Amino acid sequence: MQLSRADLADFAYFLAIAEHGSFRRAASAMGVTTSALSHAITALEGRRGVRLLNRTTRSVTLTAAGEELRATIEAPMQVIAAAGETLDRYRNAPAGRVRINVLEDAVELLLKPVMPIFVDRYPDVAIDIGVTNRMIDVVGSGFDAGIRYGGTVPEDMIAQRLSPDLRWIAAASPTYLARFGAPADPPDLKNHRCVGIRLGNDQLYRWEFERDGDVCAIETPGPLTVDASHAAIAFGLCSAGVVYATEAALRPHLDSGALQPVLEDWATTGSGFHIYYSGRRHLPTGLRLLIDLIREVRPIRN
């Protein structure tokens, strides 16, 4: 039996389902509807006379035939995808669609200065950006890549640095400081109202401080806890409490005087932004161009 064009397209759909374990996520990654994807797989199974997927209301798994098909076609399909990307480099204007999942801070600090240039330079490349501070499986959720702080990148991913390391500081509004004073040292924060930070894994973050080799992590009390930087900074600006963030994120408010640094000699440095992606995928041209442009513009500098 010869390979048809329909088979080739449906094989790509099948591999997407096998990778994501979900018709919905696979459809999103492939840019088609869930219904269209389901019909394509049903047609493939009908033409070949074999069931490839076990479907339930909660999960999708591969049959023995499906496992064998995946093992047989996965590498050749990656070669075909890579060939398509190679041809794209010869286009007068690169095109395609890239989905990335990014931290909230990365939007303001990395992408905001870069994207006006990117969309002017590459108008045919569509960038689909999902913004969340929660830890997610970027591959399983249909994204080509994610952007996070270096220390939180999953170990099984390929990572590339996009920024230098970032300085983290505490700050408060002049009104707050006039009313409550400034903390004398990190342990003194226990006597202050602090805007707590909930991490993407739901853990409460202990504020980290360092001075002359002395390192400490402080559990910060207070009536407010947030999981988004813009919310923490907003509460700091309205004098609700002391906040903790990267100096880069706080810089506009520090320059305007709306916030003032506290415990400045206790500032610590953390890993900068990294972009990461699965080594099993060929790097999309649009993603490669975005990485190159961020490095060219260098929106965050030492």
Side-chain angles (χ1 to χ4, degrees):
M1 186 179 293
Q2 292 184 342
L3 181 68
S4 67
R5 285 183 295 176
D7 280 336
L8 190 60
D10 292 346
F11 283 168
Y13 292 150
F14 166 77
L15 287 176
I17 296 168
E19 179 176 2
H20 297 292
S22 161
F23 274 83
R24 180 183 58 79
R25 291 196 296 266
S28 177
M30 298 298 290
V32 299
T33 65
T34 303
S35 176
L37 195 63
S38 179
H39 285 308
I41 296 303
T42 299
L44 174 62
E45 291 175 326
R47 289 195 305 274
R48 293 298 175 173
V50 62
R51 185 160 55 89
L52 301 172
L53 302 172
N54 293 313
R55 305 167 176 84
T56 71
T57 57
R58 296 186 177 182
S59 67
V60 179
T61 60
L62 302 184
T63 64
E67 291 283 5
E68 185 170 346
L69 177 62
R70 180 182 187 178
T72 302
I73 69 174
E74 190 169 32
M77 291 295 283
Q78 288 177 348
V79 172
I80 293 172
E85 294 289 343
T86 299
L87 289 176
D88 282 345
R89 298 176 187 174
Y90 292 91
R91 294 169 53 100
N92 290 330
R97 178 174 177 263
V98 177
R99 298 191 73 221
I100 58 175
N101 183 273
V102 306
L103 284 170
E104 175 197 15
D105 280 352
V107 175
E108 183 70 21
L109 300 177
L110 276 183
L111 300 184
K112 181 179 175 181
V114 166
M115 293 316 297
I117 303 172
F118 189 92
V119 297
D120 280 343
R121 190 178 294 183
Y122 309 113
D124 295 325
V125 177
I127 305 291
D128 186 341
I129 302 170
V131 183
T132 179
N133 291 334
R134 299 190 64 82
M135 294 297 297
I136 69 168
D137 176 3
V138 292
V139 174
S141 299
F143 292 97
D144 296 296
I147 297 178
R148 300 235 170 254
Y149 298 119
T152 63
V153 172
E155 294 183 356
D156 60 344
M157 293 287 178
I158 296 174
Q160 295 193 46
R161 178 181 285 273
L162 296 179
S163 81
D165 288 343
L166 299 169
R167 191 168 182 256
W168 289 77
I169 65 172
S173 72
T175 301
Y176 177 92
L177 295 174
R179 182 179 177 188
F180 298 103
D185 53 32
D188 191 28
L189 286 168
K190 295 182 182 296
N191 300 314
H192 281 263
R193 297 175 180 175
C194 299
V195 181
I197 301 170
R198 187 175 298 280
L199 299 174
N201 58 7
D202 281 334
Q203 294 181 355
L204 294 178
Y205 179 65
R206 300 173 69 192
W207 295 9
E208 298 178 358
F209 298 94
E210 180 178 1
R211 185 179 69 178
D212 299 331
D214 187 7
V215 179
C216 61
I218 304 297
E219 293 183 3
T220 50
L224 297 173
T225 300
V226 299
D227 62 0
S229 295
H230 74 275
I233 293 174
F235 289 135
L237 291 170
C238 71
S239 306
V242 182
V243 298
Y244 183 84
T246 64
E247 186 175 24
L250 294 172
R251 176 51 54 196
H253 310 294
L254 297 173
D255 289 344
S256 70
L259 292 174
Q260 296 179 6
V262 299
L263 303 173
E264 199 167 9
D265 56 343
W266 280 94
T268 189
T269 300
S271 183
F273 291 114
H274 287 64
I275 191 165
Y276 63 97
Y277 46 88
S278 171
R280 292 179 296 158
R281 290 184 173 184
H282 184 72
L283 193 65
T285 298
L287 183 59
R288 176 178 54 80
L289 293 173
L290 179 60
I291 294 171
D292 290 345
L293 184 58
I294 291 173
R295 289 175 169 170
E296 174 189 332
V297 175
R298 296 177 61 201
I300 303 175
R301 300 171 184 261
N302 286 321

